[in-house]
Amino acid sequence: MRRQTVEAAGRKHDGNILILLGALIDPRTPGTPRLPPTLSDDVLAAVRHPLLVLDAQLRVRSANAAFWELFRCSADATVGQELTSLPGWDLSDALLRWKAVLAEHRPLADYQLTRNFGIGTRDLVINAREINQRDPGHEPLMLVAIEDVTERTRIASALEAREREATGSNRSRSEEHTSEL
């Protein structure tokens, strides 16, 4: 914990601020404090997989560079938007599961999502859980980890097709050999 003076809504506030992932505040929102880069910002930046921070209404609060790069979007165009309004993120079939992460404190584990995100069809595995902020005054947030398994899925499908083809060829040869006898 560190002591810092923060200016918010035109007034200076002096107090203890515990900076965790929950402190990821959109600095463009009027009246919210502008916090210096934090450990949480560094953690988000260091992780290679796309990470996303959402609020209870599934609005994007923050994301890391891997997210912006994969989905070819920018913070300016995405932060503050509902996730479901972004290309490919129609979650109508699983919206209740996503909202349960915060409403019922239930993690979302290994959720498979295949969609066209405006960058082509991607196969994703998604894990999400509530960010434990330990301060009841904070808005609940969830951390979403995204793994792009598109290439792995394509390779597995190609291998399966080759295996079926090879099995079919072996059966044909066996049948030909049996009919010759």
Side-chain angles (χ1 to χ4, degrees), residues 138-156:
H138 278 60
E139 177 184 22
L141 297 173
M142 79 171 81
L143 179 65
V144 180
I146 303 167
E147 182 180 5
D148 184 357
V149 295
T150 305
E151 287 305 311
R152 189 181 332 157
T153 304
R154 286 181 186 155
I155 290 168

Side-chain angles (χ1 to χ4, degrees), residues 28-50:
R28 293 176 304 269
T29 304
T32 59
R34 289 184 177 272
L35 298 176
T38 64
L39 173 63
S40 60
D41 296 325
D42 292 337
V43 169
L44 282 176
V47 176
R48 290 183 180 191
H49 289 291

Side-chain angles (χ1 to χ4, degrees), residues 150-166:
T150 305
E151 287 305 311
R152 189 181 332 157
T153 304
R154 286 181 186 155
I155 290 168
S157 295
L159 288 173
E160 287 174 13
R162 284 187 179 154
E163 189 175 296
R164 281 193 304 271
E165 186 179 292

